[in-house]
Amino acid sequence: MSPEIGATVPIKSAYQEETAAEIAAPVPVVRGRERDDERETTAGGTGMGTLALALSILSLFVMPILFGAAGIVLGFIARSRGATGLGAWAIGIGAMSIIVGIFILPFF
């Protein structure tokens, strides 16, 4: 017997599955509307972070307890909205201003 061209050869296997590898373009995980929401959140966080930083710097000169606490609270809000750098600086400067105002300024 001679093998014919195009003849199928039976494969002895316990599994009767047909598999194939397909190549497809990756699907973006983030859709357009979600990206717009992220930009709006970051923009709101930047404004809040700037205000927090301004209050924290102002607390170094005037009413350190009040403005320092407000700068710290707004700094945490700014960090949660995406402005991590501005929020962290506002928290640090506000905390430093409160510590200086409570422990060092009474001696002068």
Coordinates of all heavy atoms in Angstrom, one line a residue:
M1 N 0.8 -1.2 0.0 CA 0.0 0.0 0.0 C 0.9 1.2 0.0 O 1.8 1.4 0.8 CB -0.9 0.0 1.2 CG -2.0 -1.0 1.2 SD -2.9 -0.9 2.7 CE -4.2 0.2 2.2
S2 N 0.6 2.1 -0.9 CA 1.3 3.4 -0.9 C 0.5 4.5 -0.3 O -0.7 4.5 -0.5 CB 1.7 3.7 -2.3 OG 0.5 4.0 -3.1
P3 N 1.1 5.3 0.5 CA 0.4 6.4 1.1 C -0.1 7.4 0.0 O 0.6 7.7 -0.9 CB 1.4 7.1 2.1 CG 2.7 6.6 1.6 CD 2.5 5.3 0.9
E4 N -1.3 7.9 0.2 CA -1.8 8.9 -0.7 C -1.5 10.3 -0.3 O -1.4 10.5 0.9 CB -3.4 8.7 -0.9 CG -3.7 7.3 -1.4 CD -5.2 7.2 -1.5 OE1 -6.0 8.2 -1.3 OE2 -5.7 6.0 -1.6
I5 N -1.4 11.2 -1.2 CA -1.2 12.6 -0.8 C -2.4 13.2 -0.2 O -3.5 13.0 -0.7 CB -0.8 13.4 -2.0 CG1 0.5 12.9 -2.6 CG2 -0.7 14.9 -1.7 CD1 1.0 13.5 -3.9
G6 N -2.2 13.8 1.0 CA -3.4 14.4 1.7 C -4.1 13.4 2.6 O -5.1 13.7 3.1
A7 N -3.6 12.2 2.7 CA -4.3 11.3 3.5 C -4.1 11.6 5.0 O -3.0 12.1 5.4 CB -3.8 9.9 3.2
T8 N -5.0 11.4 5.8 CA -4.9 11.6 7.2 C -4.3 10.4 8.0 O -4.6 9.3 7.6 CB -6.3 12.0 7.9 OG1 -7.1 10.9 7.7 CG2 -6.8 13.2 7.2
V9 N -3.5 10.7 9.0 CA -2.9 9.7 9.8 C -3.6 9.7 11.1 O -3.6 10.8 11.8 CB -1.4 9.9 9.9 CG1 -0.8 8.8 10.7 CG2 -0.8 10.0 8.5
P10 N -4.1 8.7 11.6 CA -4.8 8.7 12.9 C -3.7 8.8 14.0 O -2.6 8.2 13.9 CB -5.5 7.3 13.0 CG -4.8 6.5 12.0 CD -4.3 7.4 10.9
I11 N -4.0 9.6 15.0 CA -3.0 9.9 16.1 C -3.6 9.1 17.3 O -4.8 9.3 17.7 CB -2.9 11.4 16.4 CG1 -2.3 12.1 15.2 CG2 -2.0 11.6 17.6 CD1 -2.2 13.6 15.3
K12 N -2.8 8.3 17.9 CA -3.2 7.6 19.1 C -3.0 8.4 20.3 O -1.9 8.7 20.7 CB -2.4 6.3 19.2 CG -2.5 5.4 18.0 CD -3.9 4.8 17.9 CE -3.9 3.9 16.6 NZ -5.2 3.4 16.3
S13 N -4.1 8.9 20.9 CA -4.0 9.7 22.1 C -5.2 9.6 23.0 O -6.3 9.2 22.4 CB -3.9 11.2 21.7 OG -3.9 12.0 22.9
A14 N -5.1 9.8 24.3 CA -6.2 9.6 25.2 C -7.1 10.9 25.1 O -8.3 10.8 25.5 CB -5.7 9.4 26.6
Y15 N -6.6 12.0 24.6 CA -7.3 13.2 24.6 C -7.8 13.4 23.1 O -7.1 13.3 22.2 CB -6.5 14.4 25.0 CG -5.9 14.3 26.4 CD1 -4.6 14.0 26.6 CD2 -6.7 14.5 27.5 CE1 -4.1 13.8 27.9 CE2 -6.3 14.4 28.7 CZ -4.9 14.1 28.9 OH -4.4 13.9 30.2
Q16 N -9.1 13.8 23.0 CA -9.7 14.1 21.7 C -10.0 15.6 21.6 O -11.2 16.0 21.6 CB -11.0 13.2 21.6 CG -10.8 11.7 21.7 CD -9.9 11.2 20.5 OE1 -10.1 11.8 19.3 NE2 -9.1 10.3 20.7
E17 N -9.0 16.4 21.6 CA -9.2 17.9 21.6 C -8.5 18.5 20.4 O -7.5 17.9 19.9 CB -8.6 18.5 22.8 CG -9.3 18.1 24.1 CD -8.7 18.8 25.3 OE1 -7.7 19.5 25.2 OE2 -9.2 18.6 26.4
E18 N -9.0 19.5 19.9 CA -8.4 20.3 18.8 C -8.0 21.7 19.4 O -8.9 22.4 19.9 CB -9.4 20.4 17.7 CG -8.8 21.2 16.5 CD -9.7 21.3 15.4 OE1 -10.6 20.5 15.2 OE2 -9.6 22.2 14.6
T19 N -6.8 22.0 19.3 CA -6.3 23.3 19.8 C -5.7 24.1 18.7 O -5.2 23.6 17.8 CB -5.3 23.1 21.0 OG1 -4.2 22.4 20.5 CG2 -6.0 22.4 22.1
A20 N -5.7 25.4 18.9 CA -5.0 26.3 18.0 C -4.5 27.6 18.8 O -5.1 28.0 19.8 CB -5.9 26.8 16.9
A21 N -3.5 28.2 18.3 CA -3.0 29.4 18.9 C -3.4 30.5 18.0 O -3.1 30.5 16.8 CB -1.4 29.3 19.0
E22 N -4.0 31.5 18.5 CA -4.4 32.7 17.8 C -3.7 33.9 18.2 O -3.4 34.1 19.4 CB -5.9 32.9 17.9 CG -6.7 31.7 17.4 CD -8.2 31.9 17.5 OE1 -8.6 33.0 18.0 OE2 -9.0 31.0 17.2
I23 N -3.4 34.8 17.3 CA -2.8 36.1 17.7 C -3.8 37.2 17.4 O -4.3 37.3 16.3 CB -1.5 36.3 16.8 CG1 -0.5 35.2 17.0 CG2 -0.9 37.7 17.1 CD1 0.7 35.3 16.1
A24 N -4.0 38.0 18.5 CA -5.0 39.1 18.3 C -4.3 40.3 19.0 O -3.5 40.2 19.8 CB -6.3 38.7 19.0
A25 N -4.8 41.5 18.6 CA -4.3 42.7 19.2 C -4.8 42.8 20.6 O -6.0 42.4 20.9 CB -4.9 43.9 18.3
P26 N -4.0 43.3 21.5 CA -4.4 43.4 22.9 C -5.6 44.4 23.0 O -5.6 45.5 22.4 CB -3.2 43.9 23.6 CG -2.3 44.5 22.6 CD -2.6 43.8 21.3
V27 N -6.5 44.1 23.9 CA -7.6 45.0 24.2 C -7.3 45.9 25.3 O -6.8 45.5 26.3 CB -8.9 44.1 24.5 CG1 -10.1 45.0 24.8 CG2 -9.2 43.1 23.4
P28 N -7.5 47.2 25.1 CA -7.2 48.2 26.2 C -8.1 47.9 27.4 O -9.3 47.7 27.3 CB -7.4 49.5 25.6 CG -8.3 49.3 24.5 CD -8.0 47.9 24.0
V29 N -7.5 47.9 28.6 CA -8.3 47.7 29.8 C -9.0 48.9 30.2 O -10.2 48.8 30.7 CB -7.3 47.2 31.0 CG1 -8.1 47.0 32.2 CG2 -6.6 45.9 30.5
V30 N -8.4 50.1 30.1 CA -9.0 51.3 30.5 C -9.8 51.9 29.3 O -9.2 52.1 28.3 CB -8.0 52.3 31.0 CG1 -8.6 53.6 31.4 CG2 -7.2 51.7 32.2
R31 N -11.0 52.2 29.5 CA -11.8 52.8 28.4 C -11.7 54.3 28.4 O -11.2 54.9 29.4 CB -13.2 52.3 28.5 CG -13.3 50.8 28.2 CD -14.7 50.4 28.0 NE -15.1 49.1 27.6 CZ -14.5 47.9 27.8 NH1 -13.5 47.9 28.6 NH2 -14.9 46.8 27.4
G32 N -12.2 55.0 27.4 CA -12.1 56.4 27.3 C -12.7 57.2 28.5 O -12.2 58.1 29.0
R33 N -13.9 56.8 28.9 CA -14.6 57.6 30.0 C -13.8 57.4 31.3 O -13.7 58.4 32.1 CB -16.0 57.0 30.2 CG -16.8 57.7 31.2 CD -17.0 59.2 30.9 NE -17.7 59.8 32.0 CZ -17.5 61.1 32.4 NH1 -16.7 61.8 31.7 NH2 -18.1 61.6 33.4
E34 N -13.3 56.3 31.6 CA -12.5 56.1 32.8 C -11.3 56.9 32.8 O -10.9 57.5 33.9 CB -12.2 54.6 33.0 CG -13.4 53.7 33.2 CD -13.1 52.3 33.2 OE1 -11.9 51.9 33.1 OE2 -14.0 51.5 33.4
R35 N -10.6 57.1 31.7 CA -9.4 58.0 31.6 C -9.8 59.4 31.9 O -9.1 60.1 32.5 CB -8.8 57.8 30.3 CG -7.8 56.6 30.2 CD -7.0 56.6 29.0 NE -7.5 55.5 28.2 CZ -7.8 55.6 26.9 NH1 -7.6 56.7 26.2 NH2 -8.3 54.5 26.3
D36 N -11.0 59.9 31.4 CA -11.4 61.2 31.6 C -11.7 61.4 33.1 O -11.4 62.5 33.6 CB -12.7 61.5 30.8 CG -12.4 61.6 29.3 OD1 -11.2 61.7 28.9 OD2 -13.4 61.4 28.5
D37 N -12.3 60.4 33.8 CA -12.6 60.6 35.2 C -11.3 60.7 36.0 O -11.2 61.4 36.9 CB -13.4 59.4 35.7 CG -14.8 59.4 35.2 OD1 -15.3 60.4 34.7 OD2 -15.4 58.3 35.2
E38 N -10.3 59.9 35.5 CA -9.0 60.0 36.2 C -8.3 61.3 36.1 O -7.7 61.9 37.0 CB -8.0 58.9 35.7 CG -6.7 58.8 36.4 CD -5.9 57.7 35.8 OE1 -6.4 56.6 35.5 OE2 -4.7 57.9 35.7
R39 N -8.4 61.9 34.9 CA -7.9 63.3 34.7 C -8.6 64.3 35.6 O -8.0 65.2 36.1 CB -8.0 63.7 33.2 CG -7.0 63.0 32.3 CD -7.1 63.5 30.9 NE -6.5 62.5 30.0 CZ -7.0 62.2 28.9 NH1 -8.1 62.7 28.4 NH2 -6.4 61.3 28.1
E40 N -9.9 64.2 35.6 CA -10.7 65.1 36.5 C -10.3 65.0 37.9 O -10.1 66.0 38.6 CB -12.2 64.9 36.3 CG -12.7 65.3 34.9 CD -14.1 64.9 34.7 OE1 -14.7 64.4 35.7 OE2 -14.6 65.1 33.6
T41 N -10.1 63.8 38.4 CA -9.7 63.5 39.8 C -8.3 64.1 40.1 O -8.1 64.8 41.1 CB -9.7 62.0 40.1 OG1 -11.0 61.5 39.8 CG2 -9.4 61.8 41.5
T42 N -7.4 63.9 39.1 CA -6.0 64.4 39.3 C -6.1 66.0 39.3 O -5.4 66.6 40.1 CB -5.1 63.9 38.2 OG1 -5.2 62.5 38.2 CG2 -3.7 64.3 38.4
A43 N -6.9 66.6 38.4 CA -6.9 68.0 38.4 C -7.5 68.6 39.7 O -7.0 69.6 40.2 CB -7.8 68.5 37.2
G44 N -8.5 67.9 40.2 CA -9.1 68.4 41.5 C -8.1 68.2 42.6 O -8.0 69.0 43.6
G45 N -7.3 67.1 42.6 CA -6.3 66.9 43.6 C -5.2 67.9 43.6 O -4.7 68.3 44.6
T46 N -4.8 68.3 42.4 CA -3.8 69.3 42.2 C -4.2 70.7 42.8 O -3.4 71.3 43.5 CB -3.4 69.5 40.7 OG1 -3.0 68.2 40.2 CG2 -2.3 70.5 40.6
G47 N -5.4 71.1 42.6 CA -5.9 72.3 43.1 C -6.0 72.2 44.7 O -5.6 73.1 45.4
M48 N -6.5 71.1 45.2 CA -6.6 70.9 46.6 C -5.2 70.8 47.2 O -5.0 71.3 48.3 CB -7.3 69.6 46.9 CG -7.7 69.3 48.3 SD -9.0 70.4 48.9 CE -10.4 69.7 47.9
G49 N -4.3 70.2 46.5 CA -2.9 70.1 47.0 C -2.2 71.5 47.1 O -1.5 71.8 48.0
T50 N -2.5 72.3 46.1 CA -1.9 73.7 46.1 C -2.5 74.5 47.2 O -1.8 75.2 47.9 CB -2.2 74.4 44.7 OG1 -1.7 73.6 43.7 CG2 -1.6 75.8 44.7
L51 N -3.8 74.4 47.5 CA -4.4 75.1 48.6 C -3.9 74.6 49.9 O -3.6 75.4 50.8 CB -5.9 74.9 48.6 CG -6.7 75.5 49.7 CD1 -6.6 77.1 49.7 CD2 -8.2 75.2 49.6
A52 N -3.7 73.3 50.1 CA -3.1 72.7 51.3 C -1.7 73.2 51.5 O -1.3 73.5 52.7 CB -3.2 71.2 51.2
L53 N -0.9 73.2 50.5 CA 0.5 73.7 50.6 C 0.5 75.2 51.0 O 1.3 75.6 51.8 CB 1.2 73.4 49.3 CG 2.7 73.7 49.4 CD1 3.4 72.8 50.4 CD2 3.3 73.4 48.0
A54 N -0.4 76.0 50.4 CA -0.4 77.4 50.7 C -0.8 77.6 52.2 O -0.2 78.4 52.9 CB -1.4 78.1 49.8
L55 N -1.8 76.8 52.7 CA -2.2 76.9 54.1 C -1.1 76.5 55.0 O -0.8 77.1 56.1 CB -3.4 76.1 54.4 CG -4.8 76.7 53.9 CD1 -5.9 75.7 54.1 CD2 -5.0 78.0 54.7
S56 N -0.4 75.4 54.6 CA 0.7 75.0 55.5 C 1.9 76.0 55.6 O 2.5 76.2 56.6 CB 1.3 73.6 55.0 OG 0.3 72.6 55.1
I57 N 2.2 76.6 54.4 CA 3.3 77.6 54.4 C 2.8 78.8 55.2 O 3.6 79.4 56.0 CB 3.7 78.0 53.0 CG1 4.4 76.8 52.4 CG2 4.5 79.2 53.0 CD1 4.7 76.9 50.9
L58 N 1.5 79.2 55.1 CA 1.0 80.4 55.8 C 1.0 80.1 57.3 O 1.2 81.0 58.1 CB -0.4 80.7 55.3 CG -1.1 81.9 56.0 CD1 -0.4 83.1 55.6 CD2 -2.6 81.9 55.5
S59 N 0.8 78.8 57.7 CA 0.8 78.5 59.1 C 2.2 78.7 59.8 O 2.3 78.7 61.0 CB 0.4 77.0 59.3 OG 1.4 76.1 58.9
L60 N 3.3 78.7 59.0 CA 4.6 79.0 59.5 C 4.7 80.4 60.1 O 5.5 80.7 61.0 CB 5.7 78.8 58.4 CG 5.9 77.4 58.0 CD1 6.8 77.4 56.8 CD2 6.5 76.5 59.1
F61 N 3.8 81.3 59.6 CA 3.9 82.7 60.0 C 2.7 83.2 60.9 O 2.9 84.0 61.7 CB 4.0 83.6 58.7 CG 5.2 83.2 57.9 CD1 5.0 82.5 56.7 CD2 6.5 83.5 58.2 CE1 6.0 82.2 55.9 CE2 7.5 83.2 57.4 CZ 7.3 82.5 56.2
V62 N 1.5 82.6 60.6 CA 0.3 83.1 61.3 C -0.5 81.9 61.8 O -0.7 81.0 61.0 CB -0.6 83.9 60.3 CG1 -1.8 84.4 61.0 CG2 0.2 85.1 59.7
M63 N -0.9 81.9 63.0 CA -1.7 80.8 63.6 C -1.3 79.4 63.2 O -2.0 78.8 62.4 CB -3.2 81.1 63.2 CG -3.8 82.3 63.9 SD -5.5 82.4 63.6 CE -5.6 83.2 62.0
P64 N -0.2 78.9 63.7 CA 0.3 77.6 63.3 C -0.6 76.4 63.6 O -0.7 75.5 62.8 CB 1.6 77.5 64.0 CG 1.6 78.5 65.1 CD 0.7 79.5 64.7
I65 N -1.4 76.5 64.7 CA -2.2 75.4 65.0 C -3.4 75.3 64.1 O -3.7 74.2 63.5 CB -2.8 75.5 66.5 CG1 -1.7 75.7 67.5 CG2 -3.6 74.3 66.9 CD1 -0.8 74.5 67.8
L66 N -4.1 76.4 63.8 CA -5.2 76.4 62.9 C -4.9 76.1 61.5 O -5.4 75.2 60.9 CB -6.0 77.7 63.1 CG -7.2 77.9 62.3 CD1 -8.3 76.9 62.8 CD2 -7.7 79.3 62.3
F67 N -4.0 76.9 60.9 CA -3.7 76.7 59.5 C -2.9 75.5 59.3 O -3.0 74.8 58.2 CB -2.9 77.9 59.0 CG -3.7 79.2 58.8 CD1 -3.2 80.4 59.1 CD2 -5.1 79.1 58.4 CE1 -4.0 81.6 58.9 CE2 -5.9 80.2 58.3 CZ -5.3 81.4 58.5
G68 N -2.0 75.1 60.2 CA -1.3 73.8 60.1 C -2.2 72.6 60.1 O -2.0 71.7 59.2
A69 N -3.2 72.6 60.9 CA -4.2 71.5 60.9 C -5.0 71.5 59.7 O -5.2 70.4 59.1 CB -5.1 71.6 62.2
A70 N -5.4 72.6 59.2 CA -6.1 72.7 57.9 C -5.3 72.2 56.8 O -5.8 71.5 55.9 CB -6.6 74.1 57.7
G71 N -4.0 72.6 56.8 CA -3.1 72.2 55.7 C -2.9 70.7 55.7 O -2.8 70.0 54.7
I72 N -2.8 70.1 56.9 CA -2.7 68.6 57.0 C -3.9 67.9 56.5 O -3.8 66.9 55.7 CB -2.4 68.2 58.5 CG1 -1.0 68.7 58.8 CG2 -2.5 66.7 58.7 CD1 -0.6 68.5 60.3
V73 N -5.1 68.4 56.9 CA -6.3 67.7 56.5 C -6.5 67.8 55.0 O -6.8 66.8 54.3 CB -7.5 68.3 57.2 CG1 -8.9 67.9 56.6 CG2 -7.5 68.0 58.7
L74 N -6.3 69.0 54.4 CA -6.4 69.2 53.0 C -5.3 68.4 52.2 O -5.5 68.0 51.1 CB -6.4 70.6 52.6 CG -7.6 71.4 53.0 CD1 -7.4 72.9 52.6 CD2 -8.8 70.9 52.3
G75 N -4.1 68.2 52.9 CA -3.1 67.4 52.3 C -3.5 66.0 52.1 O -3.2 65.3 51.1
F76 N -4.1 65.4 53.2 CA -4.6 64.1 53.0 C -5.7 63.9 52.0 O -5.7 62.9 51.2 CB -5.1 63.6 54.4 CG -4.1 63.1 55.3 CD1 -3.8 63.7 56.5 CD2 -3.4 61.9 55.0 CE1 -2.8 63.3 57.3 CE2 -2.4 61.4 55.9 CZ -2.1 62.1 57.0
I77 N -6.5 64.9 51.9 CA -7.6 64.9 50.8 C -6.9 64.9 49.4 O -7.3 64.2 48.5 CB -8.6 66.0 51.0 CG1 -9.4 65.8 52.3 CG2 -9.5 66.1 49.8 CD1 -10.3 66.9 52.7
A78 N -5.9 65.8 49.3 CA -5.2 65.9 48.0 C -4.5 64.6 47.6 O -4.5 64.2 46.5 CB -4.2 67.1 48.1
R79 N -3.9 64.0 48.6 CA -3.2 62.7 48.3 C -4.2 61.6 47.9 O -3.9 60.8 47.0 CB -2.5 62.2 49.6 CG -1.2 62.9 49.8 CD -0.4 62.3 50.9 NE -0.2 60.9 50.5 CZ 0.8 60.2 50.8 NH1 1.7 60.7 51.6 NH2 1.0 58.9 50.5
S80 N -5.4 61.6 48.5 CA -6.4 60.6 48.1 C -7.0 60.9 46.7 O -7.4 60.0 46.0 CB -7.5 60.6 49.1 OG -8.3 61.8 49.0
R81 N -6.9 62.2 46.2 CA -7.4 62.5 44.9 C -6.3 62.5 43.8 O -6.6 62.8 42.7 CB -8.0 63.9 44.9 CG -9.3 64.0 45.7 CD -10.0 65.3 45.5 NE -11.2 65.3 46.3 CZ -12.0 66.3 46.3 NH1 -11.7 67.4 45.6 NH2 -13.1 66.3 47.0
G82 N -5.1 62.1 44.2 CA -4.1 61.9 43.2 C -2.9 62.8 43.2 O -1.9 62.6 42.5
A83 N -2.9 63.9 44.0 CA -1.8 64.8 44.0 C -0.9 64.4 45.2 O -0.9 65.0 46.3 CB -2.2 66.2 44.2
T84 N -0.1 63.3 45.0 CA 0.6 62.7 46.1 C 1.8 63.6 46.6 O 2.0 63.8 47.8 CB 1.2 61.4 45.8 OG1 2.0 61.5 44.6 CG2 0.1 60.4 45.5
G85 N 2.5 64.2 45.7 CA 3.6 65.1 46.1 C 3.2 66.3 46.8 O 3.7 66.7 47.9
L86 N 2.2 67.1 46.3 CA 1.7 68.3 46.9 C 1.1 68.0 48.3 O 1.3 68.7 49.3 CB 0.7 69.0 46.0 CG 1.2 69.8 44.8 CD1 0.0 70.2 44.0 CD2 2.0 70.9 45.3
G87 N 0.4 66.9 48.3 CA -0.3 66.5 49.6 C 0.8 66.1 50.7 O 0.6 66.5 51.8
A88 N 1.8 65.4 50.3 CA 2.8 65.0 51.2 C 3.6 66.2 51.8 O 3.9 66.3 53.0 CB 3.8 64.0 50.6
W89 N 3.9 67.1 50.9 CA 4.6 68.4 51.3 C 3.7 69.2 52.2 O 4.2 69.7 53.2 CB 5.0 69.2 50.1 CG 6.3 68.8 49.6 CD1 6.6 68.0 48.5 CD2 7.6 69.1 50.1 NE1 7.9 67.8 48.3 CE2 8.6 68.5 49.3 CE3 8.1 69.8 51.2 CZ2 9.9 68.6 49.5 CZ3 9.4 69.9 51.4 CH2 10.3 69.3 50.6
A90 N 2.5 69.3 51.9 CA 1.5 70.0 52.8 C 1.4 69.4 54.2 O 1.4 70.1 55.2 CB 0.2 70.1 52.1
I91 N 1.4 68.1 54.2 CA 1.3 67.3 55.5 C 2.5 67.6 56.3 O 2.5 67.9 57.5 CB 1.0 65.8 55.2 CG1 -0.4 65.6 54.7 CG2 1.2 65.1 56.5 CD1 -0.6 64.2 54.1
G92 N 3.7 67.4 55.6 CA 5.0 67.6 56.4 C 5.2 69.0 56.9 O 5.6 69.2 58.0
I93 N 4.9 70.0 56.1 CA 5.1 71.4 56.5 C 4.1 71.8 57.6 O 4.4 72.5 58.5 CB 5.0 72.4 55.3 CG1 6.2 72.1 54.4 CG2 5.0 73.8 55.7 CD1 6.2 72.9 53.1
G94 N 2.8 71.3 57.4 CA 1.8 71.6 58.4 C 2.2 71.0 59.8 O 2.0 71.6 60.8
A95 N 2.7 69.7 59.8 CA 3.1 69.0 61.0 C 4.3 69.8 61.6 O 4.3 69.9 62.9 CB 3.4 67.6 60.7
M96 N 5.2 70.1 60.8 CA 6.4 70.8 61.3 C 6.0 72.2 62.0 O 6.5 72.6 63.0 CB 7.4 71.1 60.2 CG 8.7 71.7 60.7 SD 9.8 72.2 59.4 CE 8.9 73.5 58.6
S97 N 5.0 72.9 61.3 CA 4.6 74.2 61.8 C 3.9 74.0 63.2 O 4.1 74.8 64.1 CB 3.6 74.8 60.8 OG 3.1 76.0 61.3
I98 N 3.1 72.9 63.3 CA 2.4 72.7 64.6 C 3.4 72.4 65.7 O 3.3 72.9 66.8 CB 1.3 71.6 64.4 CG1 0.2 72.1 63.6 CG2 0.8 71.1 65.8 CD1 -0.9 71.0 63.3
I99 N 4.4 71.5 65.4 CA 5.4 71.2 66.4 C 6.2 72.4 66.8 O 6.4 72.6 68.0 CB 6.3 70.1 65.8 CG1 5.5 68.8 65.7 CG2 7.5 69.9 66.7 CD1 6.2 67.7 65.0
V100 N 6.6 73.2 65.9 CA 7.3 74.4 66.2 C 6.4 75.4 67.0 O 6.9 76.0 68.0 CB 7.9 75.1 64.9 CG1 8.4 76.5 65.2 CG2 9.0 74.3 64.3
G101 N 5.2 75.5 66.6 CA 4.3 76.4 67.3 C 4.0 76.0 68.7 O 3.8 76.9 69.6
I102 N 3.9 74.7 69.0 CA 3.6 74.2 70.3 C 4.8 74.2 71.2 O 4.8 74.6 72.4 CB 2.9 72.9 70.3 CG1 1.6 73.0 69.7 CG2 2.9 72.2 71.7 CD1 0.9 71.6 69.5
F103 N 5.9 73.7 70.7 CA 7.1 73.5 71.6 C 8.2 74.5 71.6 O 8.9 74.6 72.5 CB 7.7 72.1 71.3 CG 6.7 71.0 71.5 CD1 6.2 70.2 70.5 CD2 6.3 70.7 72.8 CE1 5.3 69.2 70.7 CE2 5.4 69.6 73.1 CZ 5.0 68.9 72.0
I104 N 8.4 75.2 70.5 CA 9.5 76.1 70.4 C 9.1 77.6 70.6 O 9.8 78.4 71.3 CB 10.3 75.9 69.1 CG1 10.8 74.5 69.1 CG2 11.4 76.9 68.9 CD1 11.5 74.1 67.8
L105 N 8.0 78.0 69.9 CA 7.7 79.5 69.9 C 7.3 80.0 71.3 O 7.5 81.2 71.6 CB 6.5 79.7 69.0 CG 6.9 79.7 67.5 CD1 5.6 80.0 66.6 CD2 7.9 80.8 67.2
P106 N 6.8 79.2 72.3 CA 6.5 79.7 73.6 C 7.7 80.2 74.3 O 7.6 81.0 75.3 CB 5.8 78.5 74.3 CG 5.2 77.7 73.3 CD 6.2 77.9 72.1
F107 N 8.9 79.7 74.0 CA 10.1 80.2 74.7 C 10.7 81.5 74.1 O 11.7 82.0 74.6 CB 11.2 79.1 74.6 CG 10.7 77.8 75.3 CD1 10.5 76.7 74.6 CD2 10.6 77.8 76.7 CE1 10.1 75.5 75.3 CE2 10.2 76.7 77.4 CZ 9.9 75.5 76.7
F108 N 10.1 82.0 73.1 CA 10.6 83.3 72.5 C 9.6 84.4 72.8 O 8.6 84.6 72.8 CB 10.8 83.1 71.0 CG 12.0 82.3 70.8 CD1 11.8 81.0 70.3 CD2 13.3 82.7 71.0 CE1 12.9 80.1 70.1 CE2 14.4 81.9 70.7 CZ 14.1 80.6 70.3

